[in-house]
Amino acid sequence: MKPALFNYSRLLVAAVLLVAMSSISLSGSSVRVFDNNETPLAIDDAPIFGSKWRLTHIVSVAVKTTKPYIQLDGALKRFSGDGGCNRMSGGAEVTGRTVKFSRIMSTKRACADAKLQQVENDFLSGLERASSFFIRGDVMRLYAAGLAVLTFKADSVRIPGKTAKRILRPNSLCGTDEQIIFSCRLKRPVKIVSLCASPDLQREQGYLQYRFGLPGRIELEYPEGQQGTQQRFEYTHYFRYQVDLTEINFSIEGNRYQIFDAYNGEEKPRVIQYGVTVTPPTRESVSYHCRTKPKADYSKLDEVLREN
């Protein structure tokens, strides 16, 4: 259970892995770009769930009508919208950056305008083909085989109980309206890892989310949604004289993550380590260590998370 010691020879591997990590994410999660400083900043990327996504482009061709849109419901795993002539709905499964629209149904009204009919046909075809998404600010793109087939702009956001903006605590990716379970700046790469929780966190209430990146550039947020998050994490705390080890574990698409907070006074010299270890399915583990002692409060985890 002792965390792996940092190995500088793995820095190149770590850099490659971080690029791969940036392509993994979840629900209001998105790659965001803003500056790296110590002041609280606003996050204003629209979440995939709850936003009303207005179709603006099919491949690279601008859509001349503002009527086509979709809206995704994460709890029901469904979407609804308008193709321009007909109402439509169906299943919508979102996992990380992947998305799958299924069982798409629409009303059968004929379009009076042939161009509008073509837009609707291409819109439906793009949804059927889409396999991944990317959100930046209020723009979302759906991709099929690496090609952006549909582009949307969020024209309204509905998130029950919160606004679309989150003001961050200094040196953290947790909002001022959230609890910090664990948060620190890493030595290398210069990123922040944070485990954030809602103020009402309990076993069957609230949420827990892991975030990696920088203020304004959150590269990984897990889980995407805020329902049933507690079941995604495992917690271990081992304590005896001169030894205090805390681990929080979870997995994303086969990659095993372990937040560690370790003190071992029995070792000579004593070992004090904080950070996160990532273990890919077929490669060696890579550990990222905190630059300084993290902000941490594990007091609720005994009651909230299952033990590993």
Side-chain angles (χ1 to χ4, degrees):
M1 201 164 86
K2 179 180 176 181
L5 292 175
F6 189 74
N7 187 335
Y8 285 95
S9 67
R10 294 178 182 166
L11 282 175
L12 181 59
V13 177
V16 173
L17 181 59
L18 283 169
V19 172
M21 286 168 62
S22 68
S23 67
I24 307 171
S25 181
L26 305 155
S27 127
S29 62
S30 55
V31 175
R32 308 165 174 122
V33 178
F34 45 110
D35 58 333
N36 173 22
N37 58 33
E38 303 299 325
T39 59
L41 295 174
I43 296 175
D44 56 3
D45 282 6
I48 189 171
F49 298 122
S51 301
K52 191 171 186 178
W53 295 104
R54 191 76 61 179
L55 183 67
T56 62
H57 291 78
I58 296 176
V59 189
S60 59
V61 179
V63 174
K64 302 299 185 182
T65 174
T66 60
K67 194 172 182 182
Y69 78 91
I70 56 172
Q71 196 160 14
L72 287 79
D73 188 319
L76 297 179
K77 297 184 179 180
R78 294 189 60 77
F79 82 96
S80 59
D82 196 305
C85 299
N86 292 278
R87 295 283 300 168
M88 59 184 181
S89 63
E93 292 274 355
V94 176
T95 306
R97 292 193 183 278
T98 66
V99 62
K100 179 177 176 58
F101 296 92
S102 60
R103 305 181 304 280
I104 299 175
M105 300 179 292
S106 67
T107 54
K108 300 299 181 182
R109 294 192 302 270
C111 289
D113 186 327
K115 291 183 179 179
L116 192 57
Q117 181 68 67
Q118 188 61 52
V119 166
E120 181 169 280
N121 292 344
D122 292 343
F123 187 11
L124 291 170
S125 175
L127 290 176
E128 290 173 347
R129 295 165 53 203
S131 59
S132 62
F133 72 96
F134 176 86
I135 299 174
R136 188 172 192 172
D138 61 353
V139 174
M140 175 173 71
R141 291 183 175 87
L142 298 183
Y143 291 85
L147 174 69
V149 291
L150 299 173
T151 301
F152 302 83
K153 185 178 179 65
D155 66 0
S156 67
V157 178
R158 176 180 55 81
I159 311 177
K162 62 189 293 188
T163 65
K165 287 181 177 283
R166 178 188 296 132
I167 305 302
L168 299 184
R169 297 178 185 274
N171 298 310
S172 174
L173 301 179
C174 299
T176 55
D177 59 338
E178 296 178 309
Q179 301 181 66
I180 294 177
I181 304 300
F182 178 95
S183 189
C184 77
R185 285 185 175 270
L186 299 175
K187 295 178 181 177
R188 301 179 188 179
V190 183
K191 306 280 186 178
I192 296 174
V193 293
S194 295
L195 186 63
C196 311
S198 59
D200 60 343
L201 182 67
Q202 297 179 24
R203 185 179 291 271
E204 302 294 338
Q205 183 175 317
Y207 64 86
L208 193 64
Q209 285 184 324
Y210 170 83
R211 297 168 192 153
F212 171 90
L214 290 171
R217 191 178 178 86
I218 295 180
E219 300 172 24
L220 175 62
E221 183 175 62
Y222 176 83
E224 277 190 338
Q226 297 179 354
Q227 301 294 322
T229 60
Q230 292 87 321
Q231 286 71 48
R232 311 287 184 89
F233 296 88
E234 298 173 346
Y235 168 67
T236 300
H237 179 223
Y238 176 76
F239 175 80
R240 70 171 188 268
Y241 178 70
Q242 291 292 313
V243 176
D244 192 349
L245 304 176
T246 297
E247 295 177 358
I248 302 167
N249 296 278
F250 56 98
S251 294
I252 305 175
E253 298 183 1
N255 297 286
R256 185 71 172 171
Y257 290 73
Q258 180 188 92
I259 295 171
F260 59 85
D261 183 335
Y263 172 83
N264 189 339
E266 294 178 348
E267 297 285 336
K268 304 298 180 187
R270 64 181 180 176
V271 174
I272 304 175
Q273 295 180 326
Y274 319 97
V276 60
T277 296
V278 183
T279 307
T282 58
R283 284 178 285 177
E284 291 186 7
S285 299
V286 181
S287 293
Y288 307 96
H289 287 234
C290 296
R291 184 186 303 174
T292 58
K293 185 176 180 179
K295 297 178 182 177
D297 182 356
Y298 312 117
S299 58
K300 285 193 173 183
L301 296 189
D302 277 325
E303 302 174 0
V304 170
L305 301 184
R306 69 179 188 271
E307 288 199 5
N308 187 14

